[in-house]
């Protein structure tokens, strides 16, 4: 009887210990790396996602944010995600071309999205969903599209007409479309990591670049660029992605809570993107180091004319049917 009592007591002690360990189980850590500043639309949305996700999961998930290329630069981060060194990224859509999913380069085509409404018709519709699906064979799950808005051009000389680009060294992301875009304008494209652009502009390694105003301002590029042209010639957006094996391995309830947090963070991100770009352009103007110029209707028509061949030239690479479908959706 005494032995039985001791056995029951021992089992209870073991059970209590197991229970304590189960209760004190370490949270699931998601390392979320990105290359821009914390006060950009992407940086703020990442912070909002962290708050929402940790609250929704009652602390069972911990989101560790690494902004400003703290962990990885542009070229390194996708490989790090595929290897599982980080779990979450929000790379620009141009990054998926070098990965082998060339269809995403459609987002880089100049003047393909006339308005934000046209853009959202694509990203939130069947085209956007089908593109994210194409990442799965690469070990990547796409969760959402985040917005940064339309781009401006900058240089140390006025850029009013396509001829003004002749011979300029213009920084681009690694994208065949952006390469073709700059060449169509008569410039020499130079691929550089985002974290290296300020110094390259400062030292004259490149003459100019393209960015949404929020990226330009938060990276202080306006301090080393005398002229900005509001051209709205191209779009910069991101896809929030996760390591597929990691994501599929999460408990279903946790995954559902994170998906809800991502939806809410995405709504927040879209709301602040345009506001932040408008404020950034105003701040650049107030800084007084950069002259801001908005293209006239006639000048923009000249830019469109110069850049129109890029779409045709990229049909074989991106897919004629996809480009046609985007144009059709954008025209609604």
């Amino acid at each position: 009887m005494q032995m039985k009592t001791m056995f029951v007591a021992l089992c209870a002690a073991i059970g209590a210990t197991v229970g304590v360990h189960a209760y004190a189980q370490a949270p699931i850590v998601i390392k979320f790396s990105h290359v821009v500043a914390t006060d950009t639309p992407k940086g703020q949305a990442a912070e909002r996602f962290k708050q929402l996700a940790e609250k929704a999961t009652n602390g069972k998930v911990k989101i560790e944010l690494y902004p400003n290329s703290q962990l990885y630069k542009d070229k390194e981060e996708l490989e790090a995600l595929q290897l599982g060194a980080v779990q979450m990224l929000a790379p620009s859509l141009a990054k998926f071309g070098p990965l082998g999913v060339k269809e995403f380069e459609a987002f880089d085509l100049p003047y393909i999205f006339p308005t934000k409404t046209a853009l959202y018709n694509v990203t939130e519709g069947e085209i956007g969903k089908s593109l994210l699906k194409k990442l799965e064979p690469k070990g990547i799950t796409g969760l959402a599209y985040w917005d940064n808005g339309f781009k401006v051009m900058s240089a140390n000389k006025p850029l009013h007409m396509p001829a003004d680009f002749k011979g300029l060294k213009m920084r681009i992301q690694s994208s065949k479309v952006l390469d073709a875009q700059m060449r169509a304008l008569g410039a020499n494209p130079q691929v550089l990591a985002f974290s290296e652009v300020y110094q390259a502009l400062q030292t004259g390694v490149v003459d100019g670049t393209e960015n949404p105003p929020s990226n330009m301002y938060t990276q202080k590029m306006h301090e080393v660029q005398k002229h900005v042209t509001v051209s709205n010639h191209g779009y910069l957006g991101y896809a929030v992605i996760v390591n597929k094996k990691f994501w599929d391995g999460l408990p279903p309830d946790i995954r559902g809570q994170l998906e809800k947090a991502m939806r809410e963070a995405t709504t927040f991100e879209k709301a602040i993107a345009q506001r932040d770009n408008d404020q950034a352009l105003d701040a650049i103007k107030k800084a007084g180091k950069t002259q801001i110029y908005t293209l006239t209707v006639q000048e923009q028509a000249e830019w469109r004319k110069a850049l129109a061949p890029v779409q045709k030239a990229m049909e074989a690479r991106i897919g004629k049917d996809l480009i046609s479908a985007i144009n059709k959706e954008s025209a609604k």
Side-chain angles (χ1 to χ4, degrees):
M1 187 70 181
Q2 191 178 5
M3 286 290 290
K4 186 177 179 183
T5 304
M6 287 174 64
F7 178 74
V8 170
L10 182 62
C11 288
I14 292 170
T17 304
V18 170
V20 166
H21 282 302
Y23 181 77
Q25 188 177 11
I28 298 164
V29 174
I30 296 178
K31 291 183 179 179
F32 189 165
S33 170
H34 64 82
V35 302
V36 298
T38 53
D39 50 353
T40 57
K42 178 167 41 172
Q44 292 175 72
E47 182 62 45
R48 178 61 67 98
F49 173 69
K50 171 183 168 68
Q51 294 167 2
L52 290 166
E54 290 178 353
K55 184 179 179 183
T57 61
N58 291 316
K60 291 176 186 173
V61 172
K62 183 185 178 188
I63 311 291
E64 294 181 356
L65 298 177
Y66 297 92
N68 262 330
S69 307
Q70 284 177 13
L71 288 183
Y72 302 102
K73 293 182 180 180
D74 286 347
K75 289 181 181 177
E76 304 163 348
E77 62 176 11
L78 276 168
E79 185 180 359
L81 182 91
Q82 289 174 303
L83 292 171
V86 291
Q87 290 72 46
M88 186 173 286
L89 303 173
S92 62
L93 299 168
K95 300 292 192 309
F96 300 124
L99 193 67
V101 191
K102 298 169 186 175
E103 291 90 340
F104 276 92
E105 292 182 354
F107 288 99
D108 291 335
L109 289 167
Y111 291 116
I112 194 164
F113 300 112
T115 62
K116 280 284 180 74
T117 302
L119 168 73
Y120 295 152
N121 284 345
V122 172
T123 56
E124 294 173 8
E126 289 307 311
I127 295 173
K129 290 173 190 170
S130 66
L131 286 173
L132 291 179
K133 281 280 183 190
K134 290 181 184 292
L135 296 173
E136 292 183 2
K138 306 289 181 184
I140 295 167
T141 295
L143 299 181
Y145 289 95
W146 282 2
D147 191 19
N148 199 346
F150 295 111
K151 294 182 279 191
V152 299
M153 288 281 196
S154 69
N156 284 324
K157 62 172 282 192
L159 301 171
H160 297 180
M161 297 290 280
D164 297 330
F165 285 85
K166 190 169 178 60
L168 291 182
K169 293 173 289 184
M170 298 293 289
R171 180 266 171 177
I172 60 165
Q173 299 185 73
S174 180
S175 162
K176 295 293 184 186
V177 176
L178 296 179
D179 184 278
Q181 168 194 281
M182 290 303 184
R183 293 186 191 281
L185 291 169
N188 297 318
Q190 309 282 319
V191 175
L192 279 175
F194 185 69
S195 57
E196 297 167 10
V197 179
Y198 177 89
Q199 189 175 8
L201 291 168
Q202 187 181 41
T203 56
V205 170
V206 293
D207 299 307
T209 186
E210 58 170 12
N211 269 299
S214 63
N215 277 6
M216 187 176 188
Y217 181 68
T218 55
Q219 296 294 321
K220 303 188 188 328
M221 293 179 202
H222 63 289
E223 294 179 358
V224 288
Q225 295 277 266
K226 292 176 183 174
H227 294 271
V228 164
T229 299
V230 180
S231 50
N232 296 329
H233 63 282
Y235 169 72
L236 179 64
Y238 313 107
V240 186
I241 57 175
V242 286
N243 177 288
K244 187 176 187 301
K245 186 177 179 182
F246 167 81
W247 191 251
D248 291 347
L250 289 174
D253 60 326
I254 295 284
R255 193 164 56 240
Q257 289 158 352
L258 292 176
E259 285 170 347
K260 184 173 185 292
M262 181 56 67
R263 285 194 296 273
E264 291 177 16
T266 299
T267 300
F268 165 78
E269 199 276 341
K270 287 177 177 174
I272 65 169
Q274 190 61 51
R275 182 203 70 193
D276 280 19
N277 278 312
D278 292 342
Q279 289 176 352
L281 202 59
D282 193 47
I284 290 170
K285 190 175 182 178
K286 284 177 179 172
K289 295 185 177 182
T290 314
Q291 198 167 350
I292 295 172
Y293 181 80
T294 301
L295 293 179
T296 66
V297 173
Q298 188 177 354
E299 286 165 346
Q300 194 166 79
E302 290 297 321
W303 282 50
R304 287 177 181 274
K305 184 179 175 183
L307 292 168
V310 176
Q311 205 171 109
K312 186 74 177 169
M314 289 293 130
E315 283 180 354
R317 180 178 177 82
I318 297 170
K320 186 176 180 179
D321 291 346
L322 175 60
I323 293 173
S324 177
I326 291 174
N327 281 326
K328 187 178 177 181
E329 201 66 44
S330 295
K332 286 182 179 177

